[in-house]
PDB file of all heavy atoms in Angstrom:
ATOM      1  N   GLY A  43      97.042  99.011  56.171  1.00 91.00           N
ATOM      2  CA  GLY A  43      98.437  99.003  56.487  1.00 91.00           C
ATOM      3  C   GLY A  43      99.030  97.610  56.645  1.00 91.00           C
ATOM      4  O   GLY A  43      98.300  96.617  56.939  1.00 91.00           O
ATOM      5  N   LYS A  44     100.304  97.478  56.447  1.00 95.00           N
ATOM      6  CA  LYS A  44     101.000  96.140  56.530  1.00 95.00           C
ATOM      7  C   LYS A  44     101.688  96.034  57.895  1.00 95.00           C
ATOM      8  O   LYS A  44     101.821  97.039  58.618  1.00 95.00           O
ATOM      9  CB  LYS A  44     102.044  96.044  55.440  1.00 95.00           C
ATOM     10  CG  LYS A  44     101.540  96.246  54.030  1.00 95.00           C
ATOM     11  CD  LYS A  44     100.440  95.300  53.655  1.00 95.00           C
ATOM     12  CE  LYS A  44     100.007  95.456  52.220  1.00 95.00           C
ATOM     13  NZ  LYS A  44      98.905  94.580  51.800  1.00 95.00           N
ATOM     14  N   SER A  45     102.124  94.871  58.234  1.00 97.00           N
ATOM     15  CA  SER A  45     102.846  94.597  59.480  1.00 97.00           C
ATOM     16  C   SER A  45     104.099  95.547  59.548  1.00 97.00           C
ATOM     17  O   SER A  45     104.776  95.767  58.480  1.00 97.00           O
ATOM     18  CB  SER A  45     103.260  93.208  59.607  1.00 97.00           C
ATOM     19  OG  SER A  45     102.177  92.304  59.680  1.00 97.00           O
ATOM     20  N   PHE A  46     104.428  96.033  60.736  1.00 97.00           N
ATOM     21  CA  PHE A  46     105.570  96.950  60.915  1.00 97.00           C
ATOM     22  C   PHE A  46     105.957  96.993  62.374  1.00 97.00           C
ATOM     23  O   PHE A  46     105.175  96.680  63.233  1.00 97.00           O
ATOM     24  CB  PHE A  46     105.359  98.370  60.374  1.00 97.00           C
ATOM     25  CG  PHE A  46     104.481  99.185  61.272  1.00 97.00           C
ATOM     26  CD1 PHE A  46     105.059  99.987  62.233  1.00 97.00           C
ATOM     27  CD2 PHE A  46     103.104  99.159  61.171  1.00 97.00           C
ATOM     28  CE1 PHE A  46     104.233 100.780  63.094  1.00 97.00           C
ATOM     29  CE2 PHE A  46     102.286  99.973  62.009  1.00 97.00           C
ATOM     30  CZ  PHE A  46     102.861 100.743  62.966  1.00 97.00           C
ATOM     31  N   VAL A  47     107.196  97.391  62.560  1.00 97.00           N
ATOM     32  CA  VAL A  47     107.679  97.751  63.943  1.00 97.00           C
ATOM     33  C   VAL A  47     108.461  99.014  63.781  1.00 97.00           C
ATOM     34  O   VAL A  47     109.238  99.241  62.799  1.00 97.00           O
ATOM     35  CB  VAL A  47     108.525  96.710  64.597  1.00 97.00           C
ATOM     36  CG1 VAL A  47     109.762  96.324  63.768  1.00 97.00           C
ATOM     37  CG2 VAL A  47     108.913  97.104  66.000  1.00 97.00           C
ATOM     38  N   GLU A  48     108.218 100.031  64.653  1.00 97.00           N
ATOM     39  CA  GLU A  48     108.930 101.296  64.588  1.00 97.00           C
ATOM     40  C   GLU A  48     109.475 101.645  65.983  1.00 97.00           C
ATOM     41  O   GLU A  48     108.759 101.578  66.951  1.00 97.00           O
ATOM     42  CB  GLU A  48     108.000 102.393  64.148  1.00 97.00           C
ATOM     43  CG  GLU A  48     108.649 103.712  63.991  1.00 97.00           C
ATOM     44  CD  GLU A  48     107.933 104.640  63.015  1.00 97.00           C
ATOM     45  OE1 GLU A  48     107.196 104.194  62.147  1.00 97.00           O
ATOM     46  OE2 GLU A  48     108.126 105.882  63.196  1.00 97.00           O
ATOM     47  N   THR A  49     110.781 101.991  66.025  1.00 97.00           N
ATOM     48  CA  THR A  49     111.481 102.294  67.241  1.00 97.00           C
ATOM     49  C   THR A  49     111.840 103.752  67.386  1.00 97.00           C
ATOM     50  O   THR A  49     112.544 104.209  68.257  1.00 97.00           O
ATOM     51  CB  THR A  49     112.731 101.482  67.378  1.00 97.00           C
ATOM     52  OG1 THR A  49     113.578 101.644  66.292  1.00 97.00           O
ATOM     53  CG2 THR A  49     112.364 100.023  67.553  1.00 97.00           C
ATOM     54  N   PHE A  50     111.283 104.599  66.478  1.00 97.00           N
ATOM     55  CA  PHE A  50     111.362 106.017  66.553  1.00 97.00           C
ATOM     56  C   PHE A  50     112.761 106.586  66.542  1.00 97.00           C
ATOM     57  O   PHE A  50     113.064 107.486  67.398  1.00 97.00           O
ATOM     58  CB  PHE A  50     110.508 106.525  67.713  1.00 97.00           C
ATOM     59  CG  PHE A  50     109.072 106.286  67.566  1.00 97.00           C
ATOM     60  CD1 PHE A  50     108.413 105.419  68.374  1.00 97.00           C
ATOM     61  CD2 PHE A  50     108.340 106.895  66.510  1.00 97.00           C
ATOM     62  CE1 PHE A  50     107.047 105.195  68.217  1.00 97.00           C
ATOM     63  CE2 PHE A  50     106.974 106.675  66.361  1.00 97.00           C
ATOM     64  CZ  PHE A  50     106.303 105.780  67.193  1.00 97.00           C
ATOM     65  N   ASP A  51     113.577 106.070  65.703  1.00 95.00           N
ATOM     66  CA  ASP A  51     114.853 106.742  65.381  1.00 95.00           C
ATOM     67  C   ASP A  51     114.574 108.016  64.621  1.00 95.00           C
ATOM     68  O   ASP A  51     115.289 108.997  64.785  1.00 95.00           O
ATOM     69  CB  ASP A  51     115.776 105.870  64.608  1.00 95.00           C
ATOM     70  CG  ASP A  51     116.177 104.569  65.378  1.00 95.00           C
ATOM     71  OD1 ASP A  51     116.494 104.704  66.579  1.00 95.00           O
ATOM     72  OD2 ASP A  51     116.158 103.483  64.781  1.00 95.00           O
ATOM     73  N   THR A  52     113.481 108.016  63.920  1.00 95.00           N
ATOM     74  CA  THR A  52     112.914 109.229  63.226  1.00 95.00           C
ATOM     75  C   THR A  52     111.405 109.077  63.270  1.00 95.00           C
ATOM     76  O   THR A  52     110.911 108.021  63.711  1.00 95.00           O
ATOM     77  CB  THR A  52     113.414 109.314  61.776  1.00 95.00           C
ATOM     78  OG1 THR A  52     112.909 108.137  61.011  1.00 95.00           O
ATOM     79  CG2 THR A  52     114.888 109.367  61.627  1.00 95.00           C
ATOM     80  N   LEU A  53     110.709 110.076  62.846  1.00 96.00           N
ATOM     81  CA  LEU A  53     109.269 109.987  62.685  1.00 96.00           C
ATOM     82  C   LEU A  53     108.955 109.885  61.222  1.00 96.00           C
ATOM     83  O   LEU A  53     109.061 110.886  60.478  1.00 96.00           O
ATOM     84  CB  LEU A  53     108.587 111.203  63.282  1.00 96.00           C
ATOM     85  CG  LEU A  53     107.060 111.145  63.412  1.00 96.00           C
ATOM     86  CD1 LEU A  53     106.649 110.029  64.356  1.00 96.00           C
ATOM     87  CD2 LEU A  53     106.442 112.465  63.855  1.00 96.00           C
ATOM     88  N   SER A  54     108.575 108.690  60.763  1.00 94.00           N
ATOM     89  CA  SER A  54     108.403 108.444  59.358  1.00 94.00           C
ATOM     90  C   SER A  54     107.279 109.269  58.788  1.00 94.00           C
ATOM     91  O   SER A  54     106.116 109.177  59.201  1.00 94.00           O
ATOM     92  CB  SER A  54     108.074 106.976  59.148  1.00 94.00           C
ATOM     93  OG  SER A  54     107.717 106.742  57.800  1.00 94.00           O
ATOM     94  N   GLY A  55     107.560 110.166  57.826  1.00 94.00           N
ATOM     95  CA  GLY A  55     106.551 110.962  57.189  1.00 94.00           C
ATOM     96  C   GLY A  55     105.639 110.138  56.303  1.00 94.00           C
ATOM     97  O   GLY A  55     104.514 110.637  56.006  1.00 94.00           O
ATOM     98  N   SER A  56     106.049 108.998  55.880  1.00 94.00           N
ATOM     99  CA  SER A  56     105.184 108.117  55.067  1.00 94.00           C
ATOM    100  C   SER A  56     104.164 107.440  55.942  1.00 94.00           C
ATOM    101  O   SER A  56     103.164 106.933  55.422  1.00 94.00           O
ATOM    102  CB  SER A  56     106.044 107.132  54.272  1.00 94.00           C
ATOM    103  OG  SER A  56     106.741 106.291  55.145  1.00 94.00           O
TER     104      SER A  56
END
Side-chain angles (χ1 to χ4, degrees):
K44 307 299 183 183
S45 297
F46 75 92
V47 59
E48 184 159 333
T49 55
F50 294 113
D51 297 316
T52 62
L53 188 65
S54 170
S56 63

